[in-house]
Amino acid sequence: MTKYVIRGGNPLHGEVDISGAKNAAVAILPAALLVDGVCRIENVPEISDVTMILGILRDLGAKVTMINRTTVELDCSRVYKQNVPYELARQIRASYYLIGALLGRFGRAEVPPPGGCDLGVRPIDQHLKGFAAMGTRIQVENGFIHAAAPNGRPHGAQVYLDVVSVGATMNILLAAALADGLTIIENAAKEPHIVDLANFLNSMGADVMGAGTDVIKVRGVSRLRGGTYSIIPDQIEAGTYMTAVAAAGGEVRINNIIPKHLDCITAKLVEMGVDIEEEGDALIVRRGPGRLSPTNVKTMPYPGFPTDMQPQIAAVLCLAQGTSILNEGVWDNRYRYADEFRRMGANIQVNGKIAVIEGVDSLTGAPVCACDLRAGAAMIVAGLAAQGTTEIDQIYHIERGYENIVAKLSKLGADIREITIPEEEWRSNGVG
Ligand code: EPZ
């Protein structure tokens, strides 16, 4: 059993380099299945979700070669399987991208429903509706989604998404790249990782237009060729370090980012009194003495405030001077962390999709749990600012999406360690 132990109260100083975007990588790596040739993908984050996707690709028969820590070469020419094993797919949400990618490559796919963070109901009906419009027969049998295009290749179609869905937009894009004819995705999501997937596909010879707007047009091509592509920086990792400085104080230069992607987060932190300066592909984030102002945050699809930053900004709001209101506009159940914050002395009340936070003078360290990936990141943000020691368990959630977080924060002056408790010890303490 491993935990993070944080002794809070140290302001953060120095520079941090942001890694490649998790939610782009987990779609772009499966997209290599569509490519007839070798793809070299750079700026791949070293996180467990990526390890799992690469494991699935290997299982399918792909040749996966790590060129260095963040560059991978994928050769999917010998892939023959069209079915993803249950135990691999269940561990990760993004396994649903294997449906679009296999369907695009072979005209058929067998993939179990995905796993991932527990954020309430997480249907994939919009993905399946898109595949069905493209002529694919969809059946759910024995715990697997079976998708098959009768003519061995999906055809182009007009798909209107009933909800703005990142996953459905990307999955339909994957299925459409080699489809027969024109696919139009209306009410598409506009997140930076959608543009990144479209750019990856276009750099390999696809014909995708309009990514980053709410109408995406994909004209199917007969072949994608190999090439080299570099994944964009992670908007949410950068945002998490911004909130860490906002909570703990100090001055940090956040390198290797696209400032435009962070506008939605920057605007809120500036409103609260954090000083943020843009310098090329970096942001300098400063937080002086004195309490921050409260604010209201509603999460929305991009370019709105990202739901994946909601728990981290909540940690900062717990310390603001006054009352803040959070309105979760994407997921049904993204406040499971509230009980953990209360253990640290926060005053947070949740009613459905609304949370009301009454800021307190200070938080105190406590044993807490990372109940999902971003909630875990929020526990770190709170622990850095708290007085005393915070112990965070279930850190495997955090490791799914944050590369080297302990080393990166330590370099900024944080007192954070990963400790391993021997199995006999935690069993004898009645844990587990
Ligand atoms: C992606 O999830 C991200 N995951 C999530 O990040 C992120 O929270 C979410 O997008 C929103 O930005 C990955 O990219 C792997 P959606 P996804 O489809 O694609 C409803 C993280 O912390 N919906 O955009 O699963 C759904 O219930 C993770 O990195 C349907 O109703 O999210 C939700 O309310 C957590 N039917 C809303 O749409 C569908 O078919 C948005 O979901 C699909 C979605």
Side-chain angles (χ1 to χ4, degrees):
M1 186 190 191
T2 47
K3 286 184 180 191
Y4 291 156
V5 179
I6 303 173
R7 268 219 302 261
N10 289 1
L12 304 177
H13 286 280
E15 301 192 15
V16 61
D17 294 332
I18 297 305
S19 304
K22 166 181 94 79
N23 288 345
V26 295
I28 288 174
L29 296 169
L33 283 166
L34 300 167
V35 175
D36 184 8
V38 176
C39 300
R40 180 179 277 225
I41 305 174
E42 300 170 344
N43 205 29
V44 177
E46 201 179 16
I47 51 175
S48 63
D49 267 15
V50 161
T51 309
M52 282 184 201
I53 287 284
L54 292 176
I56 293 176
L57 291 173
R58 273 197 194 93
D59 181 83
L60 289 170
K63 185 169 172 221
V64 178
T65 312
M66 290 311 297
I67 303 300
N68 59 42
R69 198 176 60 77
T70 57
T71 302
V72 63
E73 242 177 38
L74 294 172
D75 178 356
C76 296
S77 55
R78 301 230 172 95
V79 169
Y80 50 92
K81 280 172 72 177
Q82 295 135 37
N83 59 313
V84 176
Y86 181 83
E87 60 284 3
L88 292 181
R90 292 296 292 168
Q91 294 179 35
I92 173 173
R93 184 78 193 156
S95 56
Y96 52 33
Y97 292 131
L98 272 305
I99 311 176
L102 289 170
L103 199 53
R105 164 83 181 263
F106 296 110
R108 57 188 309 127
E110 277 178 35
V111 181
C117 290
D118 178 3
L119 311 174
V121 184
R122 297 187 72 174
I124 60 163
D125 58 302
Q126 298 302 307
H127 307 226
L128 303 183
K129 166 179 142 166
F131 299 145
M134 298 172 79
T136 305
R137 199 161 39 84
I138 306 282
Q139 280 175 312
V140 182
E141 251 177 40
N142 307 324
F144 279 77
I145 298 164
H146 299 257
N151 302 321
R153 192 178 176 196
H155 61 65
Q158 186 151 356
V159 183
Y160 181 89
L161 297 179
D162 301 329
V163 287
V164 179
S165 159
V166 170
T169 304
M170 307 253 252
N171 228 342
I172 296 167
L173 244 171
L174 290 168
L178 296 175
D180 192 9
L182 179 69
T183 300
I184 302 176
I185 311 171
E186 290 182 278
N187 199 25
K190 296 182 275 206
E191 269 66 6
H193 27 291
I194 288 167
V195 179
D196 209 32
L197 173 63
N199 287 343
F200 167 81
L201 291 168
N202 283 343
S203 74
M204 305 287 147
D207 185 357
V208 180
M209 289 158 295
T213 75
D214 52 15
V215 181
I216 303 181
K217 295 185 180 166
V218 190
R219 198 171 292 283
V221 295
S222 55
R223 169 174 183 260
L224 298 182
R225 54 171 188 274
T228 298
Y229 189 80
S230 183
I231 289 175
I232 52 165
D234 196 304
Q235 176 205 30
I236 305 299
E237 187 196 16
T240 301
Y241 284 97
M242 291 167 78
T243 52
V245 182
E251 176 172 331
V252 172
R253 186 187 165 92
I254 301 179
N255 293 324
N256 182 36
I257 52 148
I258 298 174
K260 177 94 198 116
H261 293 168
L262 293 161
D263 281 354
C264 37
I265 301 161
T266 302
K268 275 294 149 195
L269 291 175
V270 167
E271 204 180 303
M272 295 173 70
V274 180
D275 184 19
I276 300 178
E277 203 182 311
E278 186 177 323
E279 222 181 71
D281 65 354
L283 283 183
I284 298 156
V285 182
R286 269 182 223 104
R287 149 88 202 279
R291 307 252 321 256
L292 294 174
S293 308
T295 189
N296 299 333
V297 178
K298 178 166 170 62
T299 68
M300 282 187 282
Y302 190 80
F305 189 90
T307 172
D308 292 347
M309 280 300 302
Q310 184 257 92
Q312 301 90 311
I313 197 120
V316 186
L317 295 175
C318 284
L319 290 160
Q321 188 161 28
T323 309
S324 304
I325 298 177
L326 284 177
N327 185 342
E328 172 54 47
V330 179
W331 297 111
D332 288 338
N333 186 8
R334 206 167 196 173
Y335 293 120
R336 290 190 312 131
Y337 61 81
D339 281 344
E340 309 303 311
F341 274 172
R342 282 190 208 107
R343 284 182 222 284
M344 301 178 76
N347 183 348
I348 172 166
Q349 305 302 325
V350 177
N351 187 355
K353 292 189 157 198
I354 306 287
V356 179
I357 300 176
E358 192 67 53
V360 293
D361 281 345
S362 62
L363 297 171
T364 48
V368 292
C369 161
C371 43
D372 62 52
L373 167 60
R374 306 303 173 186
M379 293 308 135
I380 294 181
V381 172
L384 292 170
Q387 292 174 354
T389 302
T390 298
E391 289 192 7
I392 307 175
D393 69 16
Q394 296 190 20
I395 58 169
Y396 54 87
H397 283 298
I398 302 172
E399 290 171 350
R400 286 186 37 221
Y402 289 90
E403 180 178 304
N404 286 333
I405 192 160
V406 170
K408 287 186 184 185
L409 284 169
S410 300
K411 200 172 144 235
L412 296 176
D415 185 343
I416 176 169
R417 287 172 301 133
E418 180 173 333
I419 59 160
T420 302
I421 300 167
E423 194 175 330
E424 320 77 68
E425 201 175 306
W426 59 264
R427 279 199 192 287
S428 64
N429 287 339
V431 187

